[in-house]
Amino acid sequence: MLQDPAAAWIAMDIAQLRTLIHVAELGSVSKAADRLNIAQPALSRQIRQLEQELGTDLFERHGRGMVITETGRAVLVHASRVMAEMEAIRDTVASGRTSFRGTVSVGTTPTVAEIVTVPLVTALRRTHPDLAVRLSAAYSGHILDWLQRGQIDVAVSYNPRRLHTLRIVPIMIETLLLVGPGGREEPGAPVPFAGLAGMDLVLPSPGHMLRDIAHDCARRAGIELRVVVEADSFQSLINLVRAGIGATVLPLAPVHAMVAAGDLTAAPLTDPSPTRELVVAYPADRPVSRAARLVGETVIGIAADLAARGVWMGQVLDASRAAHASGRDARA
């Protein structure tokens, strides 16, 4: 039976709750130790101490790792709430600051980097000239791993899993288009996804989100895709398409200028229409600086502005309501 919660809380600390969240997510103390860069025995000791203080087992141990118990799941909900409340306290203290110093590390996907890097840095330099920004680009899975490891402060990513270690703020449901070389007739005419059957395509390698989305839409349309070249580099994709090697599937924003200049064409895809969710992600298990939140809010503003001007195609979400709902859902 659980001890009195008030008495247990006296002995509990934030490090134990953070360890609980990561071990529950990964199902392994060794994986959590690797992510948090903390010795495995220290994490095991924190879990044992927490279980002793609460008077119950939070995990079932077996040869393949650790599985959280029903009681552990209930404690996990409260642990996430505690971390959120700690963050709210820090926000209250930091809300009066008008200028920021130091460095904020930002991770984005390559396509997002093409869109937001210049307007983001320009906006931050105008309002906070003493704040340095470190930018890194990689696949969504990589940048979310960096965020959970503490290597970056904020991530702009696509289609993340809802995890207790992440605080997710949805930005928009981005629409993906068929992008081809310039000079075609009726470049903006909608194309049924089934029309890609037999078309030469240039796509990222398997495991890349754009490739996965394209294959899922092809399955739903009942066709097979003919991928003639695999290229994970955004610039390589564009160069190959411009050279007439094949078409690809991309959002409009990073190629908008080339489409406007006639170097590329972009057409909506239908039945089904490929989309993905763009989000800002913060760590939920450690402090988030007000400067990092400013970066996320600035990205949201850039996306809304570009969408209003028709540069970034998609459905912009109510970020403030979504942020509240996301925090509630992660704790549910």
Side-chain angles (χ1 to χ4, degrees):
M1 179 177 293
L2 286 172
Q3 296 177 1
D4 177 64
W9 167 248
I10 295 174
M12 226 179 291
D13 62 32
I14 297 301
Q16 290 174 341
L17 298 182
R18 186 184 186 206
T19 297
L20 169 69
I21 291 170
H22 284 273
V23 173
E25 178 182 315
L26 297 171
S28 165
V29 172
S30 60
K31 290 179 181 178
D34 176 64
R35 173 185 283 178
L36 297 173
N37 196 28
I38 298 174
Q40 181 174 337
L43 292 193
S44 296
R45 186 164 54 250
Q46 288 180 3
I47 292 296
R48 287 197 303 270
Q49 289 172 345
L50 185 57
E51 289 178 324
Q52 290 170 2
E53 290 157 9
L54 293 173
T56 188
D57 289 337
L58 301 176
F59 293 94
E60 294 178 359
R61 279 80 168 170
H62 54 74
R64 296 185 302 277
M66 299 172 68
V67 177
I68 194 164
T69 64
E70 286 300 318
T71 300
R73 266 190 270 273
V75 173
L76 180 62
V77 171
H78 292 291
S80 297
R81 286 177 180 161
V82 169
M83 303 304 287
E85 288 300 322
M86 292 293 293
E87 192 57 40
I89 292 171
R90 296 185 186 98
D91 276 353
T92 299
V93 173
S95 61
R97 298 175 188 167
T98 58
S99 184
F100 301 114
R101 297 176 180 272
T103 301
V104 177
S105 296
V106 186
T108 70
T109 64
T111 52
V112 170
E114 291 286 331
I115 305 165
V116 306
T117 296
V118 172
L120 173 63
V121 173
T122 300
L124 293 177
R125 286 180 61 82
R126 182 175 63 250
T127 56
H128 300 277
D130 295 323
L131 180 65
V133 182
R134 182 182 300 121
L135 299 165
S136 301
Y139 292 172
S140 289
H142 292 313
I143 61 175
L144 291 176
D145 181 59
W146 295 344
L147 185 68
Q148 291 168 312
R149 290 175 179 271
Q151 296 171 344
I152 60 175
D153 302 308
V154 57
V156 187
S157 179
Y158 289 102
N159 291 8
R161 292 172 55 205
R162 266 47 180 182
L163 302 171
H164 286 275
T165 53
L166 298 175
R167 187 162 292 118
I168 302 296
V169 182
I171 302 174
M172 69 188 303
I173 303 299
E174 181 186 67
T175 302
L176 302 176
L177 308 177
L178 178 65
V179 176
R184 294 183 176 179
E185 296 181 2
E186 298 184 44
V191 176
F193 209 94
L196 273 61
M199 185 181 296
D200 289 345
L201 296 174
V202 178
L203 292 174
S205 57
H208 190 288
M209 184 177 296
L210 284 174
R211 178 71 170 265
D212 293 343
I213 292 172
H215 273 288
D216 179 64
C217 288
R219 177 187 58 78
R220 291 159 61 191
I223 65 168
E224 294 286 337
L225 298 179
R226 185 167 71 190
V227 181
V228 296
V229 180
E230 294 179 349
D232 291 338
S233 161
F234 171 78
Q235 195 56 56
S236 295
L237 280 177
I238 296 304
N239 291 340
L240 289 164
V241 172
R242 292 182 68 180
I245 303 301
T248 192
V249 177
L250 285 172
L252 176 62
V255 297
H256 182 269
M258 286 177 277
V259 171
D263 297 326
L264 294 172
T265 59
L269 286 162
T270 62
D271 304 318
S273 177
T275 61
R276 57 183 180 175
E277 182 187 33
L278 176 69
V279 307
V280 172
Y282 307 99
D285 65 314
R286 66 177 188 273
V288 178
S289 70
R290 188 67 187 86
R293 292 191 179 278
L294 171 69
V295 168
E297 292 160 4
T298 303
V299 170
I300 291 171
I302 291 169
D305 175 65
L306 293 177
R309 293 193 281 123
V311 175
W312 204 338
M313 290 187 63
Q315 177 190 354
V316 176
L317 303 173
D318 184 338
S320 60
R321 187 174 69 233
H324 176 74
S326 176
R328 183 180 65 243
D329 292 345
R331 297 189 296 267

